[in-house]
Amino acid sequence: MTAISARPTAADPSVQTPPATAESPAAATAGPAAGKQQSLTFAKALTLAMADSMAADDAVVVFGEDVGVLGGVFRITEGLNKRFGQERCFDTPLAESGIVGMAVGMAMNGMKPVVEMQFDAFAYPAFEQVVSHVAKMANRTKGKVRLPMVIRIPYAGGIGGVEHHCDSSEAYYVHTPGLTVLAPSTAVDAYLMLRDAIRSPDPVVFLEPKKLYFAKEDVDIDALRAAYESTAQATSIGRAVIAREGTDATLIAYGPSVPTALAAAEAAAAEGRSLQVIDVRSLVPFDDETVCAAVRRTGRAVVIAEAPGFASVAAEIVARVQERCFHSLAAPVRRVTGFDIPYPAPKLEQHYLPGVDRILDVVDELQWEDQ
Amino acid sequence: MNQLSTPALTQEQMLPSQQPVRLIDESGTAAVGRTYKENYPLPAEQTLLRGYAQLVTGRRINDQASALVRQGRMAVYPSSHGQEACQVAAAMCLADGDWLFPTYRDTVAVMARGVDPVQVMELLRGSWHSGYDPYEHNVATQSTPLATQLLHAVGVAHAAKLKGQDTVVVALCGDGASSEGDFHEALNFAAVFHVPVVFFVQNNEYAISVPLSQQSVAPSLAHKAIGYGMPGERVDGNDLAALLAVLGNAVQRARSGGGPSLVEAHTYRMQSHTNADDASRYRTADEVSAWEPRDPLLRLRTYLLGANLLTEADEGRIAAEAESVAKVLRDGLNADVSVDPQDLFRFVYSEPTPQLLEQAQLLGEELSREGATS
Ligand SMILES: Cc1ncc(C[n+]2csc(CCOP(=O)(O)OP(=O)(O)O)c2C)c(N)n1
Ligand SMILES: [Mg+2]
């Protein structure tokens, strides 16, 4: 693991931009000098990542439900069928275990499948394939059969979706050794991380926060692509980033909770409190180094995630930080998560989702009086 | 879309024959004059002779492995005793570049394909989850989660088709596994994508204790094929000649672009599910002994002797070959296997994560402390 690389966000242009290096391709997209900026949604960044990966490598194939002519229910695969043809981007029968199981076999025979699960909760029929084969094949064969495949899952809530369309299912996957689990929160990362996922020799579960699909950033696409292509290895897998600098406490978030954390930090700044925001991005492998170095500097931390908190990724992060940073902590590490209930119906979801106020309330409880 | 470009098969082509295809009957006589939906000629004499040798070896492997379990050298063995003809035919019908997708019960088929016997047994002796390189003989790992491997077979075949490889995939499962969702998904995907897979179900009448009658009330498992739009065929699973003919036909169809098919072999699991099971709790001794005269080895031997194709010298040679494989197994499994605890961390990811490196170090330190005190 190397040094923390800060990166620009549309929401916070004040963030310091590091120089563009091979280590941090995201940096190449920043700054007005970098070239022509254009507005890119998170969704289109994913499409672009797949298209560029398919253009670069014939072995990359995309399939799933409605991903062909329609371009997917969220249009993430839009245009791929037309551009690359029916053999490279195609619809399958409606069966998630079939999709993932077939991807396993295709990966065994030299392809790099990128499959789409239509929604978080509709990936569950594929669970046996994911846990018993996708995750275990390399270990079972002592590395002789590796499965370079990506399972893309539109996930989490905040979109007013009805039951089965808003689950935060990350804990199931991160608890399964053998899977790499990624959750980007920006358009730039959506591009970089999906490309990293596709070129990874290991299977990746790629969690796409649905509520961010249409979030926009100004990006120099040519520079982004060029920066990515100049790196031989994944720069995002296993690396957390600092999404916002701050000195008083650290908010640790990933995926859909990152913009919420940034908004909380913005609100806190107005009240005179400087909150740092870490975007974990890579749930597995987890970047203990970056996260812990950040918490040691501020001495206080709150972990934010949409999933129910019990036995969750947030719980794991709290435990890791507490174990590693105990002597630097001024207060117990806290969590702001979803409640331990099934994901609520649309009219109730605002009570469930971690929001700015709930985060700031917990920040207020971080034993400031002892300072 | 373009997957549907091949002409639809007629119902007649998809429905299995009324009776399981049989070329040599229980008395060892070539069963001439029967009509099946396809013409299945008797395989060549030399093929049958070679197959017989493999049957004898297969039986010897089953007996030897069961003995090694009793001697504590293996953790468990699901024997294919009684099903050796299916095992041997599954391996013999493949060309070098083809793939086999076996289950836990298909050890004999895996070995018949040429995989090193001692490596195969790593799973069942408990030294690792699989011991051989699947790419060396194009044999996938022996699958335990029922029917899951059928989808991998479809994927390998799909990739082969996209890459223009001349590859056929034979995917094995049991009668019980045909109730799993993945069985359905695999057959449907294979048919829709029109890929070169032969699904080969060994219907041995039981899934552990549960008889076929409680798995399915379809006229036969091969009848399921028509529901997916592929041909189904039923074959006497204790008749190596018929198995070679039917599987050979299915493999040929797949190779020439004719798509997937389903073959159901009617056979019988002569022993318990594994050494840990007690079959007497759910089936009678009479039921089992009724299958003894239908033994696949006995039947082919009688035929070959009657046709003057098997000499005493041949039998001696064949027995010696089988014994040499048994010896390889005995020697390999009686030698203590060394396991490296650091292997636990090496292969989970292409590069161990920082967390795994920490854990590997922890275990390493524990072991060196133990080494220092003992
Ligand atoms: C998904 C799954 N469920 C249950 C089991 C436990 N199990 C192992 S073998 C077996 C019976 C399978 O019967 P069948 O498919 O007929 O194959 P056979 O053992 O007769 O060769 C069962 C239930 C399993 N391995 N996988
Ligand atoms: Mg059975």
Side-chain angles (χ1 to χ4, degrees):
Chain A
M1 301 294 116
T2 57
I4 305 149
S5 62
R7 86 220 139 130
T9 66
D12 185 2
S14 68
V15 167
Q16 265 256 279
T17 300
T21 64
E23 277 285 86
S24 60
T29 65
K36 98 178 160 328
Q37 301 276 316
Q38 67 190 85
S39 173
L40 182 69
T41 62
F42 190 102
K44 282 301 145 212
L46 294 168
T47 313
L48 192 64
M50 279 185 279
D52 286 356
S53 298
M54 291 172 88
D57 185 351
D58 283 347
V60 179
V61 287
V62 170
F63 54 92
E65 295 159 7
D66 301 294
V67 302
V69 174
L70 180 66
V73 293
F74 292 104
R75 307 290 184 267
I76 308 298
T77 59
E78 191 159 45
L80 299 180
N81 174 275
K82 192 157 181 222
R83 173 166 169 202
F84 296 98
Q86 177 68 12
E87 292 193 341
R88 302 280 308 279
C89 175
F90 55 89
D91 291 325
T92 65
L94 233 169
E96 294 75 13
S97 188
I99 292 167
V100 172
M102 184 168 77
V104 168
M106 293 180 82
M108 284 178 72
N109 195 4
M111 321 269 330
K112 295 179 183 166
V114 180
V115 302
E116 178 173 302
M117 299 283 104
Q118 204 154 63
F119 283 86
D120 31 57
F122 306 138
Y124 301 148
F127 199 61
E128 184 185 23
Q129 286 289 346
V130 173
V131 172
S132 294
H133 294 299
V134 175
K136 289 179 177 161
M137 187 69 83
N139 185 61
R140 177 186 301 144
T141 60
K142 291 196 174 176
K144 296 189 179 75
V145 181
R146 295 217 172 268
L147 300 176
M149 55 184 280
V150 180
I151 303 172
R152 293 183 36 244
I153 307 179
Y155 99 114
I159 57 158
V162 295
E163 197 187 12
H164 311 300
H165 295 75
C166 294
D167 282 11
S168 284
S169 45
E170 63 268 32
Y172 308 131
Y173 304 109
V174 302
H175 199 65
T176 303
L179 302 176
T180 297
V181 185
L182 306 180
S185 75
T186 66
V188 164
D189 269 356
Y191 178 85
L192 292 173
M193 295 179 76
L194 185 52
R195 290 211 71 183
D196 275 346
I198 294 171
R199 82 170 154 184
S200 168
D202 299 318
V204 177
V205 172
F206 196 86
L207 302 170
E208 302 170 0
K210 289 184 287 275
K211 80 169 188 199
L212 301 183
Y213 270 152
F214 304 106
K216 286 184 184 146
E217 280 163 49
D218 286 330
V219 177
D220 178 347
I221 289 173
D222 293 336
L224 177 62
R225 187 184 279 132
Y228 172 80
E229 281 163 6
S230 70
T231 63
Q233 276 180 356
T235 55
S236 64
I237 296 176
R239 303 257 188 104
V241 288
I242 296 181
R244 179 184 170 110
E245 283 296 1
T247 52
D248 295 337
T250 303
L251 304 181
I252 304 168
Y254 56 87
S257 299
V258 174
T260 315
L262 287 168
E266 192 67 36
E271 295 167 12
R273 193 165 271 162
S274 165
L275 300 183
Q276 182 189 39
V277 177
I278 301 277
D279 181 352
V280 172
R281 342 191 262 186
S282 174
L283 306 186
V284 179
F286 186 77
D287 186 354
D288 283 307
E289 202 176 303
T290 299
V291 172
C292 291
V295 176
R296 283 191 197 104
R297 281 196 301 272
T298 62
R300 288 179 171 82
V302 177
V303 183
I304 302 151
E306 280 189 20
F310 190 83
S312 64
V313 172
E316 174 63 20
I317 296 174
V318 169
R320 302 187 79 79
V321 169
Q322 212 110 247
E323 281 174 352
R324 285 165 177 73
C325 309
F326 186 73
H327 293 292
S328 309
L329 291 175
V333 180
R334 294 287 303 272
R335 255 176 300 177
V336 180
T337 67
F339 299 126
D340 297 328
I341 57 169
Y343 195 85
K347 290 192 189 310
L348 289 158
E349 74 177 343
Q350 84 270 20
H351 302 296
Y352 170 91
L353 292 169
V356 169
D357 290 344
R358 199 172 287 158
I359 294 167
L360 293 180
D361 286 349
V362 170
V363 168
D364 282 344
E365 290 167 14
L366 294 176
Q367 304 187 358
W368 303 98
E369 63 281 7
D370 297 345
Q371 232 172 12
Chain B
M1 302 192 96
N2 69 353
Q3 291 110 2
L4 303 176
S5 55
T6 44
L9 297 162
T10 65
Q11 292 202 15
E12 214 162 56
Q13 286 169 313
M14 289 188 282
L15 282 170
S17 303
Q18 293 269 306
Q19 294 296 318
V21 176
R22 173 185 289 176
L23 299 182
I24 297 176
D25 70 19
E26 286 166 27
S27 68
T29 315
V32 286
R34 272 192 179 280
T35 54
Y36 300 108
K37 65 171 184 170
E38 309 249 3
N39 178 33
Y40 294 110
L42 200 65
E45 291 170 355
Q46 283 312 307
T47 307
L48 289 179
L49 197 58
R50 208 154 41 83
Y52 178 68
Q54 295 255 38
L55 287 184
V56 173
T57 298
R59 176 65 50 86
R60 189 70 191 86
I61 289 166
N62 278 327
D63 291 346
Q64 182 62 71
S66 297
L68 285 162
V69 174
R70 288 193 297 275
Q71 293 155 11
R73 304 307 302 181
M74 282 171 51
V76 62
Y77 185 68
S79 178
S80 62
H81 190 116
Q83 301 175 220
E84 288 93 345
C86 296
Q87 297 285 302
V88 167
M92 283 181 74
C93 69
L94 298 173
D96 280 350
D98 294 343
W99 272 88
L100 181 69
F101 277 77
T103 74
Y104 52 89
R105 196 172 304 286
D106 303 313
T107 301
V108 167
V110 173
M111 292 184 191
R113 179 97 170 118
V115 182
D116 178 82
V118 180
Q119 287 182 7
V120 176
M121 290 307 194
E122 277 209 37
L123 166 68
L124 299 169
R125 84 191 300 192
S127 49
W128 199 256
H129 309 299
S130 179
Y132 53 92
D133 178 351
Y135 293 118
E136 199 175 320
H137 295 276
N138 285 359
V139 178
T141 57
Q142 286 182 270
S143 180
T144 307
L146 299 170
T148 54
Q149 74 282 2
L150 305 180
L151 282 163
H152 309 165
V154 173
V156 165
H158 196 164
K161 185 179 166 185
L162 293 179
K163 299 199 298 186
Q165 293 168 332
D166 178 30
T167 303
V168 174
V169 184
V170 170
L172 308 181
C173 75
D175 46 302
S178 75
S179 300
E180 291 280 1
D182 277 5
F183 176 89
H184 160 70
E185 295 188 23
L187 270 77
N188 193 44
F189 272 53
V192 168
F193 293 115
H194 201 71
V195 295
V197 184
V198 177
F199 297 98
F200 180 32
V201 180
Q202 291 167 77
N203 169 4
N204 62 8
E205 308 246 338
Y206 286 90
I208 308 185
S209 67
V210 180
L212 181 65
S213 58
Q214 287 178 49
Q215 263 345 307
S216 170
V217 294
S220 80
L221 297 178
H223 276 79
K224 296 185 179 223
I226 191 171
Y228 302 105
M230 69 171 76
E233 189 58 290
R234 316 167 65 184
V235 55
D236 181 331
N238 289 12
D239 176 359
L240 182 66
L243 283 158
L244 289 173
V246 169
L247 287 173
N249 200 53
V251 166
Q252 179 51 35
R253 175 191 293 108
R255 200 181 307 287
S256 59
S261 58
L262 169 63
V263 175
E264 175 189 12
H266 295 266
T267 182
Y268 194 77
R269 197 193 75 210
M270 294 299 286
Q271 298 180 345
S272 286
H273 173 67
T274 68
N275 50 288
D277 173 43
D278 174 7
S280 71
R281 294 173 65 94
Y282 51 83
R283 64 187 193 185
T284 64
D286 283 353
E287 182 188 310
V288 179
S289 58
W291 278 85
E292 273 161 14
R294 302 160 78 171
D295 184 79
L297 278 74
L298 194 63
R299 187 186 303 196
L300 189 55
R301 178 168 181 269
T302 310
Y303 171 78
L304 291 171
L305 287 173
N308 285 323
L309 295 171
L310 187 68
T311 64
E312 231 173 86
D314 289 332
E315 291 217 79
R317 176 180 50 78
I318 288 168
E321 270 170 29
E323 197 44 47
S324 72
V325 176
K327 184 171 182 324
V328 167
L329 272 176
R330 274 197 311 275
D331 291 351
L333 289 154
N334 281 325
D336 284 331
V337 63
S338 71
V339 289
D340 179 355
Q342 289 297 333
D343 275 354
L344 293 171
F345 306 100
R346 280 197 179 108
F347 310 107
V348 184
Y349 297 94
S350 53
E351 288 199 31
T353 62
Q355 290 75 22
L356 289 188
L357 290 175
E358 267 178 29
Q359 292 162 26
Q361 193 184 345
L362 177 98
L363 180 61
E365 284 164 7
E366 247 173 57
L367 291 172
S368 61
R369 276 201 303 278
E370 271 169 31
T373 53
S374 66

